[in-house]
Every structure is written in C-alpha cells, then in structure tokens.
Amino acid sequence: MSNKNYYAVLMAGGVGSRFWPVSTTNNPKQFHDMLGTGETLIQKTFARLNKFIPTENILILTNERYNDLVLEQLPAVKQEQVVLEPAMRNTAPCILYASLKIQKMNPDAVMIVAPSDHWIEDEAAFEKDVKACFTKCEEEAALCTLGIQPTFPNTGFGYIEFEKAATTSLKPVTQFREKPDLETAKSFLEQGNFLWNAGIFMWSVSTIVTAFKKHQSEQYDLFEKGMSCYNTNEEQAFIAENYPKAENISIDYAILERAETIYTLPATFDWNDLGTWGALYDKLDKDASDNAVVNAGTVLEDAKGNMISAKKGKIVVVDGLEDYIIVDKDDVLLIYPKSKQQDIKSVRNQVSDTFGDQFA
C-alpha cells in the first residue's frame, strides 16, 4: 500500500565508466540490462520503489543529456518528475534541489535517496528496512542510512561506524569513514561495528532542508531563492542560471559528516553496487567452469572464470582463457584480465583520446 507522504529520489546521473564499453557517456550502465533479465537497472530500481511509493512521488535526478532515455525507459514518469542537472556538481546540490521541490509539494514528506544502478534481490526485505527508517524520520529529526554488512575487507567503499553498545535495530552513527587501505578495512571487520556505505539515505524533507540551512548556508540560500519557481514553468530558467554556481560537494561531506542525529540500519537484504564487471560476475549464474554469460551464445573450450557479455544472437567462441572480461559492444571489443578491472576506466579514457569521444 502506497503512502502519499512517501517520496523517492533516484540518482541516475553517473557514467559507470568501469562498465565500459557497455556503459558510455551517452548511454550509462543504469540504462542497460546488465544482468540479462529483460529489465534495465533503472527500470528494476523504479519498480522496487514503486511497490510502496506512489508513481507520481518518484523523482529521477539525472543529467540533461539523459532526459530522453529516462522518459523512454520509464513510461509511467512524467517530464516534471525528471529533475535535470545542467552541470555536474556532485550529490549535495542535486539532493538539496530535489528536497526543496518535494517540500513545496508536501511539507510532511519523508524521502529516500537511492542509486538507480544497484542490485537488490530480496525486495520485500528492502521495503521493510526503508519503512523502518521512514518511521524513525517521521518520529524525530533524524537522518538515516542503510548500511551493508561487509563480507570482506573491501577498499572500494566508504564505511559507517556505529555505536558498538547500541541494542536497537537502528544504530546511532559514530562517524563516516573514507575508503580505507586493506589493513584498515581488515581492522574495521574485526571490530564488528562497521558497515559499507551504500549511499541509500532516508529523512524527512524538513530535517534535510534544516540540515542544509545549518551546515551549508550558502548552498541553502542559493537554492532557496528559487522556491517560488519550483514546480512551475519558471523552474528551468532559474536552475539554468543558478545551478552552476553551486559548490561541487558530496552529501557525505556537506551534511552527513557534520549532522548530529544520524542512524544506520544494517540491511537485511543482499546488495551489490554493480560497480565493476567483477561485481556483476559475482551476481550472475555460472556454468560448470565458472564462466558467466550475459545475452550471448557461447562455445567454450578450456575457458574458466570468464565474464562474457555480448548482444543477443551473438556467438562468442573462447578457447584457453581464464579469468578474463570479454565484452562485445557495437564498435568496441574488450578482452581484459579480471584482475585489472579497476583499470578499465583509464583504458576507456585512452581509447577516447586515441579514437574519439564517440567510443567512450
């Protein structure tokens, strides 16, 4: 059952450069069926939220260049629900902008801010966790985040440290920690009161707007000036002029590391940020030799542990490769060791510099 005070902001502006060559500047990973399920990542995320948040209360935050992709892939969404950034300014300005728009629609709103490209299998558990945070946010002026139980000492995520002695399901946050080196990550896991920061946040609009007013007064003043324009025909002109003036800063630095009342709920669902081909490989079904395949037909000989992606109907023949990423997409064929997957971003830049931006 939907609650009219429930709102969502889907973050859909990233490029996902480590998923090149499928994810490109003009068509990033959130608009692709990365898992071969018949649905793109943004479609799956929208459907997951739409189970308990009214369709008209879901805003899509994205770059201007992806407007048509959003409307094409989410036909239930109206143009006024697509919040367009005219400039890249990190997460704080766009979250403030969306929050003020929602506050003008409904001052009693509670909202979730969620990435559009994550993998969550148990959607019922996800809904239960989000609603628990929403209840907390309706009862007090709290900021909430969903933390992920770490399964290994990952150096690619930020961490949330919570009070070790806390006995409630929602744990008071002690501090947010930057992406650690391996030894630090190991110590986090040993201590037992650290969670991965998945970038999934919940709060009431009044609480988050008040937090900006207190901790980011210049940003607040800049965007508050547009209140009379928001959700009207004048909004676009105001944002085009003022958004580029906003400071480039993340919501973590701007608000979360400074706010007083923050809670984290250790998530009860499986989660994957699908940040790399290796992360996708981990979530896909494998054959007897641990090869994972998306869409393609394959003939495999002496091939083990490979991640293979190509369009439907494409036949991929592999012999003698182990632990490789093999991706065929339009004019680019990538054959790359899984062990070097973090370097794909720089390879993409190299291809762009050598052959032109159309390949990036």
Side-chain angles (χ1 to χ4, degrees):
M1 184 71 180
S2 294
N3 181 319
K4 64 179 175 56
N5 289 339
Y6 287 179
Y7 285 75
V9 174
L10 271 191
M11 307 289 278
V15 174
S17 50
R18 287 186 179 85
F19 266 113
W20 182 83
V22 166
S23 184
T24 63
T25 306
N26 289 327
N27 198 352
K29 68 170 179 174
Q30 58 267 31
F31 301 111
H32 290 279
D33 176 12
M34 300 300 301
L35 295 150
T37 62
E39 282 186 301
T40 65
L41 295 177
I42 195 172
Q43 287 171 332
K44 285 180 77 69
T45 305
F46 184 90
R48 184 186 310 131
L49 290 163
N50 203 194
K51 287 178 178 174
F52 60 100
I53 295 176
T55 303
E56 64 276 13
N57 288 5
I58 301 176
L59 302 184
I60 316 298
L61 253 175
T62 193
N63 192 275
E64 284 179 334
R65 72 169 79 191
Y66 307 136
N67 183 62
D68 291 348
L69 275 170
V70 169
L71 293 173
E72 177 189 317
Q73 294 202 3
L74 303 175
V77 166
K78 297 186 174 74
Q79 179 65 68
E80 56 264 29
Q81 290 169 251
V82 186
V83 183
L84 300 173
E85 303 169 79
M88 301 288 266
R89 287 292 181 273
N90 216 314
T91 50
C94 58
I95 287 172
L96 174 59
Y97 170 29
S99 300
L100 289 170
K101 278 174 66 68
I102 292 171
Q103 187 177 45
K104 191 176 177 184
M105 296 177 213
N106 182 349
D108 299 321
V110 288
M111 59 187 275
I112 176 173
V113 176
S116 60
D117 54 2
H118 289 180
W119 177 93
I120 292 169
E121 189 164 294
D122 189 344
E123 298 192 338
F126 170 78
E127 178 178 338
K128 184 167 170 280
D129 287 355
V130 173
K131 283 181 172 177
C133 292
F134 276 171
T135 300
K136 183 76 169 177
C137 297
E138 287 172 325
E139 291 171 350
E140 63 177 278
L143 305 175
C144 292
T145 178
L146 294 181
I148 308 301
Q149 296 282 4
T151 50
F152 66 100
N154 196 319
T155 58
F157 297 144
Y159 285 71
I160 304 164
E161 181 181 354
F162 62 85
E163 285 182 16
K164 213 166 190 173
T167 54
T168 52
S169 56
L170 275 150
K171 317 286 186 189
V173 172
T174 308
Q175 60 180 323
F176 289 83
R177 305 289 286 264
E178 294 294 308
K179 294 174 183 176
D181 59 29
L182 186 59
E183 288 308 308
T184 307
K186 285 178 180 173
S187 75
F188 287 172
L189 265 66
E190 285 165 10
Q191 289 173 66
N193 59 321
F194 285 80
L195 303 167
W196 287 338
N197 184 357
I200 303 172
F201 309 114
M202 286 118 315
W203 39 59
S204 70
V205 286
S206 58
T207 299
I208 191 63
V209 168
T210 300
F212 268 100
K213 196 172 181 178
K214 181 176 181 180
H215 300 293
Q216 293 289 320
S217 56
E218 283 185 30
Q219 292 263 39
Y220 172 80
D221 290 343
L222 176 68
F223 284 95
E224 199 275 335
K225 281 189 307 186
M227 277 303 271
S228 61
C229 303
Y230 296 147
N231 311 327
T232 74
N233 293 333
E234 296 165 18
E235 178 178 336
Q236 192 176 357
F238 173 83
I239 287 299
E241 182 184 344
N242 290 282
Y243 198 94
K245 299 174 188 172
E247 183 187 353
N248 189 329
I249 186 171
S250 72
I251 191 70
D252 300 70
Y253 280 127
I255 302 298
L256 298 175
E257 293 185 3
R258 305 172 191 217
E260 296 79 24
T261 311
I262 304 188
Y263 295 90
T264 186
L265 180 64
T268 60
F269 51 85
D270 281 343
W271 170 92
N272 192 304
D273 78 327
L274 295 183
T276 62
W277 284 110
L280 176 62
Y281 170 85
D282 290 342
K283 284 301 163 200
L284 293 170
D285 293 334
K286 321 284 193 302
D287 67 12
S289 299
D290 284 334
N291 297 296
V293 180
V294 177
N295 291 328
T298 55
V299 176
L300 306 176
E301 294 287 338
D302 190 25
K304 297 175 188 170
N306 297 301
M307 170 72 239
I308 302 166
S309 173
K311 66 180 181 184
K312 272 191 168 63
K314 187 90 172 188
I315 308 298
V316 180
V317 181
V318 181
D319 190 341
L321 279 184
E322 185 171 343
D323 293 335
Y324 265 72
I325 297 162
I326 302 159
V327 183
D328 183 67
K329 183 72 172 70
D330 300 333
D331 295 327
V332 179
L333 172 63
L334 176 76
I335 304 170
Y336 210 74
K338 268 200 327 216
S339 60
K340 295 174 68 178
Q341 63 175 344
Q342 295 293 344
D343 298 338
I344 288 176
K345 186 175 182 177
S346 58
V347 171
R348 166 185 169 266
N349 295 338
Q350 195 178 332
V351 169
S352 175
D353 292 343
T354 307
F355 298 102
D357 289 344
Q358 69 270 30
F359 297 104

